[in-house]
Amino acid sequence: MSLHGLLDAVVKDPALEEAITAATGAGRMHVDLVGPPAARPFAVAALAREAARPVLAVTAT
């Protein structure tokens, strides 16, 4: 099974799109995101792909 392209499909979710837009906005130095554990890897991957700067993800586990 290949998961290639899965991120492209998931980031079309309006809530995740909004979070990415907010996080990559001009002058934004950090963003706090709260969501279900299953969505966190997708949010971090999308931010890493879209941000024009390094991304540091700090999690509880």
Side-chain angles (χ1 to χ4, degrees):
M1 176 189 344
S2 173
L3 299 178
H4 182 73
L6 183 60
L7 183 59
D8 292 329
V10 173
V11 296
K12 292 179 183 175
D13 177 77
L16 191 51
E17 272 186 339
E18 185 177 338
I20 293 166
T21 300
T24 57
R28 178 71 66 142
M29 295 304 294
H30 75 277
V31 64
D32 296 321
L33 297 176
V34 178
R40 293 174 190 160
F42 294 107
V44 172
L47 285 171
R49 185 175 71 177
E50 299 297 323
R53 58 184 186 250
V55 173
L56 171 65
V58 179
T59 66
T61 58

